Amino acid sequence: MVPQGSRAELEFGGPLGRLWGSGRVGEWTPTRLPPSPGAAALLLLLPATMFHLLLVARSGPARLLGPPPYLPELEELWSPWALLLCLTWLGLQAALYLLPARKVAEGQELKDKSRLSYPINGFQALVLTALLVGLGVLAGLPLSALPEMLLPLAFAATLIAFIFSLLLYLKALVAPASALAPGGNSGNPIYDFFLGRELNPRICSFDFKYFCELRPGLIGWVLINLALLMQEAELRGSPSLAMWLVNGFQLLYVGDALWHEEAVLTTMDIIHDGFGFMLAFGDLAWVPFTYSLQAQFLLYHPEPLGLPLASVICLINGQSGRGSTLPPPFIRSLFIQHPRAVGYYIFRGANSQKNTFRKNPSDPRVADLETISTATGRRLLVSGWWGMVRHPNYLGDLIMALAWSLPCGVSHLLPYFYLLYFTALLVHREARDEQQCLRKYGLAWHAYCRRVPYRIVPYIY
Ligand code: NDP
Protein backbone atom coordinates (compact mmCIF):
# COMPACT_ATOMS: atom_id res chain seq x y z
CA MET A 1 0.00 0.00 0.00
CA VAL A 2 1.33 3.44 -0.88
CA PRO A 3 1.30 5.62 2.24
CA GLN A 4 -0.91 8.69 2.18
CA GLY A 5 0.58 12.12 2.49
CA SER A 6 4.14 12.35 1.30
CA ARG A 7 3.50 10.82 -2.10
CA ALA A 8 -0.19 11.49 -2.42
CA GLU A 9 -0.99 13.02 -5.81
CA LEU A 10 -3.03 16.16 -6.19
CA GLU A 11 -6.55 15.68 -7.39
CA PHE A 12 -8.48 18.06 -9.66
CA GLY A 13 -5.92 20.73 -10.64
CA GLY A 14 -3.02 18.48 -9.70
CA PRO A 15 -1.91 17.26 -13.09
CA LEU A 16 -2.17 20.78 -14.47
CA GLY A 17 -0.20 22.05 -11.48
CA ARG A 18 2.66 19.74 -12.39
CA LEU A 19 3.25 21.79 -15.52
CA TRP A 20 4.63 24.46 -13.23
CA GLY A 21 5.48 22.78 -9.95
CA SER A 22 6.59 19.46 -8.60
CA GLY A 23 3.05 18.12 -8.24
CA ARG A 24 3.92 16.06 -5.17
CA VAL A 25 2.24 17.17 -1.99
CA GLY A 26 5.18 16.27 0.21
CA GLU A 27 7.60 18.38 -1.78
CA TRP A 28 5.79 21.65 -1.14
CA THR A 29 6.47 24.03 1.67
CA PRO A 30 4.25 26.93 2.73
CA THR A 31 6.76 29.37 1.26
CA ARG A 32 7.02 27.52 -2.04
CA LEU A 33 3.43 26.76 -2.78
CA PRO A 34 2.53 24.87 -5.90
CA PRO A 35 0.15 26.54 -8.28
CA SER A 36 -3.32 25.02 -8.19
CA PRO A 37 -5.00 26.35 -11.32
CA GLY A 38 -7.49 23.49 -11.38
CA ALA A 39 -8.92 24.26 -7.95
CA ALA A 40 -8.79 28.04 -8.48
CA ALA A 41 -10.51 27.73 -11.85
CA LEU A 42 -13.22 25.47 -10.43
CA LEU A 43 -13.91 27.97 -7.63
CA LEU A 44 -15.04 30.41 -10.32
CA LEU A 45 -16.18 28.04 -13.02
CA LEU A 46 -18.70 26.08 -10.94
CA PRO A 47 -20.75 29.11 -9.76
CA ALA A 48 -20.45 30.71 -13.22
CA THR A 49 -21.79 27.53 -14.86
CA MET A 50 -24.67 27.37 -12.41
CA PHE A 51 -25.72 30.97 -13.18
CA HIS A 52 -25.28 30.37 -16.91
CA LEU A 53 -27.66 27.40 -16.73
CA LEU A 54 -30.23 29.32 -14.68
CA LEU A 55 -30.23 32.17 -17.21
CA VAL A 56 -30.25 29.98 -20.28
CA ALA A 57 -33.09 27.73 -19.04
CA ARG A 58 -35.52 30.66 -19.01
CA SER A 59 -34.37 32.13 -22.32
CA GLY A 60 -36.21 31.40 -25.57
CA PRO A 61 -33.41 29.69 -27.53
CA ALA A 62 -32.20 27.82 -24.37
CA ARG A 63 -28.76 27.33 -25.92
CA LEU A 64 -26.41 25.41 -23.64
CA LEU A 65 -23.35 26.36 -25.67
CA GLY A 66 -22.70 30.00 -26.31
CA PRO A 67 -22.90 33.14 -24.23
CA PRO A 68 -25.66 33.64 -21.64
CA PRO A 69 -28.67 35.62 -22.92
CA TYR A 70 -27.59 38.59 -20.77
CA LEU A 71 -25.45 39.40 -17.75
CA PRO A 72 -27.61 40.07 -14.71
CA GLU A 73 -27.13 43.27 -12.69
CA LEU A 74 -26.21 42.93 -9.03
CA GLU A 75 -29.76 44.01 -8.05
CA GLU A 76 -31.14 41.00 -9.85
CA LEU A 77 -28.82 38.66 -7.97
CA TRP A 78 -28.70 40.14 -4.50
CA SER A 79 -31.77 40.08 -2.29
CA PRO A 80 -31.71 40.12 1.52
CA TRP A 81 -35.00 38.20 1.42
CA ALA A 82 -33.42 35.42 -0.60
CA LEU A 83 -30.56 35.25 1.90
CA LEU A 84 -33.04 35.15 4.77
CA LEU A 85 -35.01 32.41 3.03
CA CYS A 86 -31.86 30.31 2.51
CA LEU A 87 -30.80 30.76 6.14
CA THR A 88 -34.31 29.89 7.36
CA TRP A 89 -34.23 26.77 5.18
CA LEU A 90 -30.87 25.73 6.64
CA GLY A 91 -32.17 26.45 10.15
CA LEU A 92 -35.28 24.34 9.55
CA GLN A 93 -33.27 21.41 8.22
CA ALA A 94 -30.79 21.72 11.11
CA ALA A 95 -33.70 21.64 13.58
CA LEU A 96 -35.10 18.51 11.88
CA TYR A 97 -31.63 16.92 12.01
CA LEU A 98 -31.58 17.44 15.76
CA LEU A 99 -34.94 15.72 16.33
CA PRO A 100 -34.77 12.26 17.91
CA ALA A 101 -33.75 9.69 15.27
CA ARG A 102 -35.27 6.25 14.69
CA LYS A 103 -31.72 4.91 14.65
CA VAL A 104 -28.18 6.05 15.37
CA ALA A 105 -25.63 4.44 13.04
CA GLU A 106 -21.88 4.08 13.40
CA GLY A 107 -19.60 5.31 10.63
CA GLN A 108 -16.55 3.54 9.23
CA GLU A 109 -13.46 3.20 11.41
CA LEU A 110 -11.33 6.38 11.46
CA LYS A 111 -7.54 6.78 11.51
CA ASP A 112 -7.52 6.77 15.31
CA LYS A 113 -9.65 3.55 15.30
CA SER A 114 -12.71 5.38 16.65
CA ARG A 115 -16.12 5.52 14.96
CA LEU A 116 -18.54 8.44 14.83
CA SER A 117 -22.29 8.20 15.39
CA TYR A 118 -24.82 9.57 12.91
CA PRO A 119 -28.59 10.11 13.34
CA ILE A 120 -30.64 8.28 10.70
CA ASN A 121 -33.58 10.63 10.37
CA GLY A 122 -33.20 12.10 6.87
CA PHE A 123 -36.38 10.52 5.54
CA GLN A 124 -38.22 11.81 8.58
CA ALA A 125 -36.87 15.28 7.72
CA LEU A 126 -38.23 14.91 4.17
CA VAL A 127 -41.68 13.86 5.39
CA LEU A 128 -41.86 16.62 8.01
CA THR A 129 -40.72 19.19 5.44
CA ALA A 130 -43.42 17.96 3.04
CA LEU A 131 -46.01 18.31 5.80
CA LEU A 132 -44.85 21.81 6.70
CA VAL A 133 -44.79 22.90 3.05
CA GLY A 134 -48.23 21.33 2.47
CA LEU A 135 -49.66 23.19 5.46
CA GLY A 136 -47.95 26.37 4.29
CA VAL A 137 -49.45 26.08 0.80
CA LEU A 138 -52.92 25.46 2.30
CA ALA A 139 -52.41 28.57 4.42
CA GLY A 140 -51.54 30.62 1.32
CA LEU A 141 -47.74 30.24 1.01
CA PRO A 142 -47.01 31.33 -2.59
CA LEU A 143 -44.76 28.39 -3.48
CA SER A 144 -45.30 28.91 -7.19
CA ALA A 145 -43.52 32.28 -6.84
CA LEU A 146 -40.28 30.47 -5.96
CA PRO A 147 -39.14 29.98 -9.61
CA GLU A 148 -39.03 33.77 -10.01
CA MET A 149 -36.56 33.92 -7.13
CA LEU A 150 -34.16 31.24 -8.36
CA LEU A 151 -31.40 33.68 -9.34
CA PRO A 152 -31.20 35.54 -5.99
CA LEU A 153 -31.64 32.27 -4.09
CA ALA A 154 -28.76 30.69 -6.01
CA PHE A 155 -26.65 33.79 -5.35
CA ALA A 156 -27.43 33.64 -1.62
CA ALA A 157 -26.65 29.90 -1.51
CA THR A 158 -23.31 30.54 -3.25
CA LEU A 159 -22.46 33.29 -0.78
CA ILE A 160 -23.31 30.99 2.12
CA ALA A 161 -21.18 28.19 0.61
CA PHE A 162 -18.15 30.51 0.29
CA ILE A 163 -18.43 31.84 3.85
CA PHE A 164 -19.16 28.41 5.28
CA SER A 165 -16.13 26.89 3.48
CA LEU A 166 -13.93 29.66 4.84
CA LEU A 167 -15.12 28.92 8.39
CA LEU A 168 -14.50 25.20 7.81
CA TYR A 169 -10.99 25.99 6.56
CA LEU A 170 -10.27 28.06 9.68
CA LYS A 171 -11.75 25.41 11.96
CA ALA A 172 -9.42 22.82 10.41
CA LEU A 173 -6.38 24.93 11.41
CA VAL A 174 -6.94 23.94 15.03
CA ALA A 175 -8.09 20.36 14.35
CA PRO A 176 -5.79 17.50 15.41
CA ALA A 177 -3.84 15.77 12.62
CA SER A 178 -5.93 12.62 13.07
CA ALA A 179 -9.07 14.59 12.11
CA LEU A 180 -7.70 15.70 8.72
CA ALA A 181 -8.75 14.18 5.39
CA PRO A 182 -6.27 12.24 3.25
CA GLY A 183 -6.48 14.94 0.55
CA GLY A 184 -7.01 18.66 1.05
CA ASN A 185 -3.95 19.20 3.25
CA SER A 186 -1.31 20.13 0.71
CA GLY A 187 -0.36 23.47 2.27
CA ASN A 188 -1.75 25.33 -0.74
CA PRO A 189 -4.62 27.41 0.72
CA ILE A 190 -6.66 27.54 -2.50
CA TYR A 191 -6.42 23.84 -3.14
CA ASP A 192 -7.13 22.97 0.49
CA PHE A 193 -10.02 25.46 0.69
CA PHE A 194 -11.51 23.82 -2.39
CA LEU A 195 -11.01 20.19 -1.45
CA GLY A 196 -11.63 20.52 2.29
CA ARG A 197 -9.18 19.86 5.11
CA GLU A 198 -11.11 18.26 7.93
CA LEU A 199 -12.73 14.90 7.28
CA ASN A 200 -15.67 15.14 9.68
CA PRO A 201 -16.01 18.71 11.01
CA ARG A 202 -18.39 18.71 13.93
CA ILE A 203 -19.62 20.87 16.77
CA CYS A 204 -20.62 18.49 19.57
CA SER A 205 -22.53 15.76 17.74
CA PHE A 206 -23.64 17.98 14.83
CA ASP A 207 -21.78 16.69 11.78
CA PHE A 208 -21.67 19.45 9.14
CA LYS A 209 -20.70 17.28 6.17
CA TYR A 210 -23.23 14.55 6.89
CA PHE A 211 -25.93 17.18 7.46
CA CYS A 212 -25.23 18.97 4.16
CA GLU A 213 -24.71 15.83 2.12
CA LEU A 214 -28.35 14.75 1.81
CA ARG A 215 -30.67 17.25 3.47
CA PRO A 216 -30.81 20.98 2.62
CA GLY A 217 -29.70 20.50 -1.01
CA LEU A 218 -31.59 17.33 -1.92
CA ILE A 219 -34.82 18.32 -0.19
CA GLY A 220 -34.41 21.84 -1.60
CA TRP A 221 -34.07 20.35 -5.10
CA VAL A 222 -37.41 18.52 -4.96
CA LEU A 223 -39.03 21.58 -3.41
CA ILE A 224 -37.85 23.72 -6.34
CA ASN A 225 -39.16 21.02 -8.72
CA LEU A 226 -42.53 21.12 -6.97
CA ALA A 227 -42.66 24.92 -7.19
CA LEU A 228 -41.94 24.69 -10.94
CA LEU A 229 -44.72 22.11 -11.32
CA MET A 230 -47.14 24.37 -9.46
CA GLN A 231 -46.18 27.35 -11.57
CA GLU A 232 -46.73 25.30 -14.71
CA ALA A 233 -50.19 24.32 -13.41
CA GLU A 234 -50.96 28.02 -12.87
CA LEU A 235 -49.70 28.98 -16.33
CA ARG A 236 -51.21 26.15 -18.38
CA GLY A 237 -54.08 24.80 -16.29
CA SER A 238 -52.32 21.57 -15.30
CA PRO A 239 -48.78 20.21 -15.15
CA SER A 240 -47.59 18.39 -18.26
CA LEU A 241 -46.86 14.67 -18.28
CA ALA A 242 -43.18 15.49 -18.87
CA MET A 243 -43.17 17.67 -15.73
CA TRP A 244 -44.85 14.91 -13.73
CA LEU A 245 -42.25 12.40 -14.85
CA VAL A 246 -39.28 14.64 -14.04
CA ASN A 247 -40.76 15.45 -10.62
CA GLY A 248 -41.60 11.80 -9.95
CA PHE A 249 -38.20 10.40 -11.00
CA GLN A 250 -36.25 12.96 -9.02
CA LEU A 251 -38.49 12.61 -5.97
CA LEU A 252 -37.89 8.88 -6.09
CA TYR A 253 -34.11 9.53 -6.25
CA VAL A 254 -34.15 11.92 -3.29
CA GLY A 255 -36.60 9.83 -1.26
CA ASP A 256 -34.48 6.76 -1.91
CA ALA A 257 -31.27 8.52 -0.86
CA LEU A 258 -32.87 9.61 2.40
CA TRP A 259 -34.59 6.27 3.02
CA HIS A 260 -31.20 4.56 2.62
CA GLU A 261 -29.40 7.39 4.38
CA GLU A 262 -27.14 5.01 6.25
CA ALA A 263 -25.57 3.95 2.93
CA VAL A 264 -23.97 7.39 2.62
CA LEU A 265 -21.64 6.41 5.45
CA THR A 266 -19.66 4.13 3.13
CA THR A 267 -19.44 6.59 0.22
CA MET A 268 -16.31 8.48 -0.85
CA ASP A 269 -17.71 11.81 0.27
CA ILE A 270 -17.95 10.63 3.85
CA ILE A 271 -15.01 8.25 4.17
CA HIS A 272 -12.43 10.05 2.06
CA ASP A 273 -13.15 13.66 1.11
CA GLY A 274 -12.58 16.58 3.44
CA PHE A 275 -15.36 19.11 3.84
CA GLY A 276 -14.51 22.22 1.86
CA PHE A 277 -15.88 24.34 -0.96
CA MET A 278 -16.27 21.40 -3.36
CA LEU A 279 -18.81 19.63 -1.18
CA ALA A 280 -20.32 22.69 0.52
CA PHE A 281 -21.06 24.45 -2.77
CA GLY A 282 -22.09 21.17 -4.39
CA ASP A 283 -24.51 20.26 -1.62
CA LEU A 284 -25.98 23.69 -0.90
CA ALA A 285 -26.04 25.42 -4.30
CA TRP A 286 -25.13 23.23 -7.25
CA VAL A 287 -27.51 20.35 -6.47
CA PRO A 288 -30.74 22.29 -5.88
CA PHE A 289 -30.22 24.86 -8.62
CA THR A 290 -28.71 22.79 -11.44
CA TYR A 291 -30.30 19.40 -10.77
CA SER A 292 -33.71 21.06 -11.17
CA LEU A 293 -32.67 22.16 -14.66
CA GLN A 294 -35.02 19.77 -16.51
CA ALA A 295 -38.05 21.07 -14.59
CA GLN A 296 -36.85 24.67 -15.16
CA PHE A 297 -36.52 23.96 -18.86
CA LEU A 298 -40.00 22.40 -19.06
CA LEU A 299 -41.62 25.41 -17.41
CA TYR A 300 -40.35 27.71 -20.17
CA HIS A 301 -40.29 25.14 -23.02
CA PRO A 302 -43.30 22.82 -22.72
CA GLU A 303 -42.76 19.43 -24.32
CA PRO A 304 -45.65 17.24 -25.43
CA LEU A 305 -45.11 13.63 -24.37
CA GLY A 306 -47.29 10.66 -25.31
CA LEU A 307 -48.02 7.69 -23.10
CA PRO A 308 -46.04 5.12 -25.13
CA LEU A 309 -42.83 7.18 -24.92
CA ALA A 310 -43.51 8.00 -21.25
CA SER A 311 -43.83 4.27 -20.62
CA VAL A 312 -40.46 3.56 -22.23
CA ILE A 313 -38.85 6.36 -20.22
CA CYS A 314 -40.31 4.92 -17.00
CA LEU A 315 -38.81 1.58 -17.92
CA ILE A 316 -35.40 3.16 -18.45
CA ASN A 317 -35.50 5.05 -15.15
CA GLY A 318 -36.90 2.14 -13.19
CA GLN A 319 -39.49 2.64 -10.50
CA SER A 320 -41.03 0.64 -7.76
CA GLY A 321 -44.81 0.67 -8.08
CA ARG A 322 -45.13 0.51 -4.33
CA GLY A 323 -45.06 3.85 -2.62
CA SER A 324 -45.30 5.93 -5.79
CA THR A 325 -46.46 9.36 -4.75
CA LEU A 326 -47.55 10.56 -8.14
CA PRO A 327 -51.26 11.28 -8.21
CA PRO A 328 -52.43 10.59 -11.78
CA PRO A 329 -53.47 6.93 -11.99
CA PHE A 330 -52.10 6.48 -15.51
CA ILE A 331 -48.59 7.23 -14.26
CA ARG A 332 -49.06 4.83 -11.34
CA SER A 333 -50.16 2.11 -13.73
CA LEU A 334 -47.04 2.65 -15.83
CA PHE A 335 -44.87 2.06 -12.78
CA ILE A 336 -46.82 -1.01 -11.71
CA GLN A 337 -46.46 -2.56 -15.17
CA HIS A 338 -42.67 -2.24 -14.88
CA PRO A 339 -42.13 -2.68 -11.17
CA ARG A 340 -38.37 -2.88 -11.27
CA ALA A 341 -36.80 -1.56 -14.39
CA VAL A 342 -33.31 -0.73 -15.42
CA GLY A 343 -31.66 2.35 -13.87
CA TYR A 344 -32.99 2.38 -10.35
CA TYR A 345 -32.79 -1.39 -10.05
CA ILE A 346 -29.06 -1.44 -10.81
CA PHE A 347 -28.35 1.69 -8.76
CA ARG A 348 -30.15 0.54 -5.64
CA GLY A 349 -29.09 -3.11 -5.93
CA ALA A 350 -25.40 -2.21 -6.22
CA ASN A 351 -25.36 0.41 -3.48
CA SER A 352 -27.29 -1.75 -1.02
CA GLN A 353 -25.16 -4.81 -1.75
CA LYS A 354 -21.90 -2.98 -1.02
CA ASN A 355 -23.32 -1.24 2.02
CA THR A 356 -24.69 -4.47 3.49
CA PHE A 357 -21.37 -6.19 2.85
CA ARG A 358 -19.32 -3.41 4.43
CA LYS A 359 -21.58 -3.32 7.49
CA ASN A 360 -21.68 -7.07 8.01
CA PRO A 361 -19.99 -9.45 5.55
CA SER A 362 -21.81 -12.40 7.16
CA ASP A 363 -25.25 -10.95 6.40
CA PRO A 364 -27.19 -13.76 4.64
CA ARG A 365 -27.95 -11.41 1.72
CA VAL A 366 -24.25 -11.15 0.83
CA ALA A 367 -22.62 -14.07 2.64
CA ASP A 368 -22.66 -16.29 -0.48
CA LEU A 369 -21.00 -13.74 -2.75
CA GLU A 370 -17.49 -14.43 -3.91
CA THR A 371 -14.80 -12.14 -2.47
CA ILE A 372 -11.05 -11.65 -2.52
CA SER A 373 -9.05 -10.78 0.58
CA THR A 374 -6.76 -7.79 0.88
CA ALA A 375 -3.80 -7.07 3.14
CA THR A 376 -5.94 -4.66 5.18
CA GLY A 377 -8.26 -7.44 6.33
CA ARG A 378 -11.18 -5.98 4.35
CA ARG A 379 -12.44 -8.07 1.48
CA LEU A 380 -13.62 -6.99 -1.96
CA LEU A 381 -16.74 -8.34 -3.65
CA VAL A 382 -15.99 -9.96 -7.01
CA SER A 383 -19.41 -11.37 -7.80
CA GLY A 384 -22.95 -10.01 -7.73
CA TRP A 385 -23.26 -6.42 -8.93
CA TRP A 386 -19.61 -5.70 -8.13
CA GLY A 387 -18.53 -8.59 -10.32
CA MET A 388 -20.29 -7.09 -13.36
CA VAL A 389 -18.30 -3.82 -13.47
CA ARG A 390 -16.20 -2.05 -10.86
CA HIS A 391 -18.77 0.72 -10.36
CA PRO A 392 -22.22 -0.74 -11.08
CA ASN A 393 -23.85 1.97 -8.94
CA TYR A 394 -22.52 4.63 -11.34
CA LEU A 395 -24.01 2.74 -14.29
CA GLY A 396 -27.48 2.73 -12.70
CA ASP A 397 -27.16 6.40 -11.82
CA LEU A 398 -26.24 7.31 -15.42
CA ILE A 399 -29.17 5.36 -16.86
CA MET A 400 -31.50 7.26 -14.53
CA ALA A 401 -29.87 10.55 -15.59
CA LEU A 402 -30.78 9.73 -19.20
CA ALA A 403 -34.38 9.03 -18.18
CA TRP A 404 -34.61 12.43 -16.44
CA SER A 405 -33.63 14.23 -19.64
CA LEU A 406 -35.71 12.29 -22.17
CA PRO A 407 -39.09 13.80 -21.10
CA CYS A 408 -37.69 17.16 -22.28
CA GLY A 409 -37.49 15.93 -25.87
CA VAL A 410 -34.53 16.12 -28.20
CA SER A 411 -34.90 19.63 -29.61
CA HIS A 412 -32.45 21.16 -27.10
CA LEU A 413 -29.15 20.07 -25.61
CA LEU A 414 -29.75 21.98 -22.38
CA PRO A 415 -31.83 19.33 -20.51
CA TYR A 416 -29.04 16.85 -21.27
CA PHE A 417 -26.53 18.98 -19.39
CA TYR A 418 -27.04 16.86 -16.28
CA LEU A 419 -26.31 13.66 -18.19
CA LEU A 420 -23.17 15.13 -19.79
CA TYR A 421 -21.88 16.70 -16.59
CA PHE A 422 -22.71 13.60 -14.56
CA THR A 423 -20.91 11.31 -17.01
CA ALA A 424 -17.80 13.50 -16.70
CA LEU A 425 -18.17 13.64 -12.91
CA LEU A 426 -18.56 9.88 -12.51
CA VAL A 427 -15.71 9.05 -14.92
CA HIS A 428 -13.46 11.40 -12.94
CA ARG A 429 -14.82 10.13 -9.62
CA GLU A 430 -14.25 6.55 -10.70
CA ALA A 431 -10.63 7.36 -11.53
CA ARG A 432 -10.16 9.00 -8.12
CA ASP A 433 -11.69 6.02 -6.39
CA GLU A 434 -9.49 3.60 -8.36
CA GLN A 435 -6.39 5.50 -7.18
CA GLN A 436 -7.57 5.44 -3.59
CA CYS A 437 -8.42 1.74 -3.74
CA LEU A 438 -5.06 0.98 -5.33
CA ARG A 439 -3.37 2.79 -2.46
CA LYS A 440 -5.52 0.96 0.07
CA TYR A 441 -5.48 -2.52 -1.40
CA GLY A 442 -2.39 -2.66 -3.66
CA LEU A 443 -2.02 -6.10 -5.29
CA ALA A 444 -5.53 -7.18 -4.30
CA TRP A 445 -6.93 -4.25 -6.27
CA HIS A 446 -4.93 -5.33 -9.33
CA ALA A 447 -6.40 -8.82 -8.91
CA TYR A 448 -9.91 -7.32 -8.74
CA CYS A 449 -9.26 -5.30 -11.92
CA ARG A 450 -8.10 -8.41 -13.75
CA ARG A 451 -11.18 -10.29 -12.59
CA VAL A 452 -13.58 -7.41 -13.37
CA PRO A 453 -11.96 -5.53 -16.26
CA TYR A 454 -14.69 -2.95 -17.00
CA ARG A 455 -15.09 0.18 -14.89
CA ILE A 456 -18.65 1.41 -15.45
CA VAL A 457 -20.21 0.04 -18.64
CA PRO A 458 -19.79 -3.68 -19.43
CA TYR A 459 -17.72 -4.33 -22.59
CA ILE A 460 -17.44 -0.59 -23.29
CA TYR A 461 -15.68 1.24 -20.47
P1 NDP B 1 -19.07 4.15 -3.92
O1 NDP B 1 -20.29 4.04 -3.10
O2 NDP B 1 -18.99 3.34 -5.17
O3 NDP B 1 -17.86 3.82 -2.95
C1 NDP B 1 -16.58 3.50 -3.40
C2 NDP B 1 -15.95 2.63 -2.33
O4 NDP B 1 -16.60 1.35 -2.31
C3 NDP B 1 -14.51 2.30 -2.59
O5 NDP B 1 -13.66 3.35 -2.18
C4 NDP B 1 -14.34 1.08 -1.72
O6 NDP B 1 -14.22 1.55 -0.36
C5 NDP B 1 -15.67 0.37 -1.87
N1 NDP B 1 -15.60 -0.64 -2.91
C6 NDP B 1 -15.22 -0.50 -4.20
N2 NDP B 1 -15.28 -1.66 -4.85
C7 NDP B 1 -15.68 -2.58 -3.96
C8 NDP B 1 -15.91 -3.98 -4.02
N3 NDP B 1 -15.72 -4.67 -5.14
N4 NDP B 1 -16.33 -4.61 -2.90
C9 NDP B 1 -16.53 -3.91 -1.75
N5 NDP B 1 -16.30 -2.60 -1.62
C10 NDP B 1 -15.89 -1.94 -2.72
O7 NDP B 1 -18.72 5.59 -4.39
P2 NDP B 1 -19.41 6.97 -4.37
O8 NDP B 1 -19.37 7.55 -3.01
O9 NDP B 1 -18.71 7.71 -5.44
O10 NDP B 1 -20.93 6.75 -4.85
C11 NDP B 1 -22.07 6.43 -4.02
C12 NDP B 1 -23.34 6.64 -4.83
O11 NDP B 1 -23.61 8.03 -4.93
C13 NDP B 1 -23.26 6.10 -6.26
O12 NDP B 1 -24.46 5.47 -6.60
C14 NDP B 1 -23.08 7.34 -7.10
O13 NDP B 1 -23.63 7.16 -8.39
C15 NDP B 1 -23.85 8.36 -6.28
N6 NDP B 1 -23.38 9.73 -6.51
C16 NDP B 1 -24.31 10.64 -6.92
C17 NDP B 1 -23.94 11.93 -7.15
C18 NDP B 1 -24.94 12.92 -7.62
O14 NDP B 1 -24.60 14.09 -7.71
N7 NDP B 1 -26.15 12.53 -7.97
C19 NDP B 1 -22.54 12.39 -6.94
C20 NDP B 1 -21.66 11.35 -6.51
C21 NDP B 1 -22.08 10.07 -6.30
P3 NDP B 1 -13.85 0.60 0.89
O15 NDP B 1 -13.22 -0.63 0.31
O16 NDP B 1 -12.92 1.41 1.72
O17 NDP B 1 -15.15 0.32 1.56
Side-chain angles (χ1 to χ4, degrees), residues 387-392 395 449-461:
M388 182 175 83
V389 285
R390 298 204 293 273
H391 268 94
L395 175 65
C449 294
R450 278 196 301 276
R451 188 67 199 267
V452 183
Y454 292 100
R455 293 163 185 262
I456 302 179
V457 188
Y459 304 107
I460 295 179
Y461 179 73

Side-chain angles (χ1 to χ4, degrees), residues 8 20 51 69 71 83 89 132 139 151-152 174 218 245 274 284 314 326 330 368 373 400 403 408 412 430 434 438 440:
W20 292 273
F51 286 109
L71 286 180
L83 182 63
W89 177 251
L132 288 174
L151 269 184
V174 292
L218 286 193
L245 284 193
L284 301 179
C314 286
L326 292 181
F330 59 87
D368 290 340
S373 12
M400 285 194 289
C408 304
H412 290 79
E430 199 277 339
E434 288 268 321
L438 189 59
K440 269 186 283 187

Side-chain angles (χ1 to χ4, degrees), residues 130-150:
L131 278 175
L132 288 174
V133 170
L135 288 174
V137 170
L138 286 178
L141 183 81
L143 189 59
S144 57
L146 199 68
E148 298 305 324
M149 288 185 71
L150 285 186

Side-chain angles (χ1 to χ4, degrees), residues 120-313:
I120 305 298
N121 59 3
F123 194 77
Q124 175 183 314
L126 175 69
V127 172
L128 289 175
T129 305
L131 278 175
L132 288 174
V133 170
L135 288 174
V137 170
L138 286 178
L141 183 81
L143 189 59
S144 57
L146 199 68
E148 298 305 324
M149 288 185 71
L150 285 186
L151 269 184
L153 285 173
F155 188 74
T158 306
L159 207 61
I160 291 172
F162 266 104
I163 294 170
F164 187 33
S165 310
L166 189 63
L167 294 175
L168 289 168
Y169 181 86
L170 295 176
K171 180 179 179 311
L173 294 177
V174 292
S178 62
L180 300 181
N185 288 286
S186 67
N188 179 305
I190 297 176
Y191 179 80
D192 296 347
F193 171 83
F194 179 78
L195 217 62
R197 302 193 60 208
E198 201 175 340
L199 186 60
N200 304 296
R202 287 182 162 213
I203 290 185
C204 299
S205 63
F206 194 99
D207 190 298
F208 293 111
K209 184 167 65 169
Y210 176 70
F211 165 70
C212 289
E213 188 75 5
L214 294 184
R215 291 151 191 254
L218 286 193
I219 302 177
W221 167 22
V222 288
L223 186 66
I224 291 173
N225 274 353
L226 177 66
L228 290 157
L229 181 144
M230 288 177 63
Q231 205 187 19
E232 194 188 37
E234 276 179 18
L235 282 176
R236 306 195 180 100
S238 67
S240 61
L241 180 55
M243 183 67 100
W244 275 118
L245 284 193
V246 167
N247 263 259
F249 292 159
Q250 298 184 350
L251 179 62
L252 171 84
Y253 190 75
V254 169
D256 173 87
L258 291 164
W259 182 260
H260 296 98
E261 189 178 22
E262 202 176 334
V264 84
L265 300 180
T266 57
T267 60
M268 273 171 72
D269 286 1
I270 298 291
I271 59 182
H272 176 267
D273 291 336
F275 195 29
F277 182 80
M278 179 178 77
L279 285 179
F281 175 77
D283 292 341
L284 301 179
W286 181 264
V287 165
F289 297 102
T290 65
Y291 285 22
S292 56
L293 191 66
Q294 285 103 353
Q296 291 177 44
F297 173 84
L298 285 172
L299 178 66
Y300 301 102
H301 308 84
E303 186 66 33
L305 181 65
L307 270 184
L309 185 55
S311 180
V312 173
I313 297 173

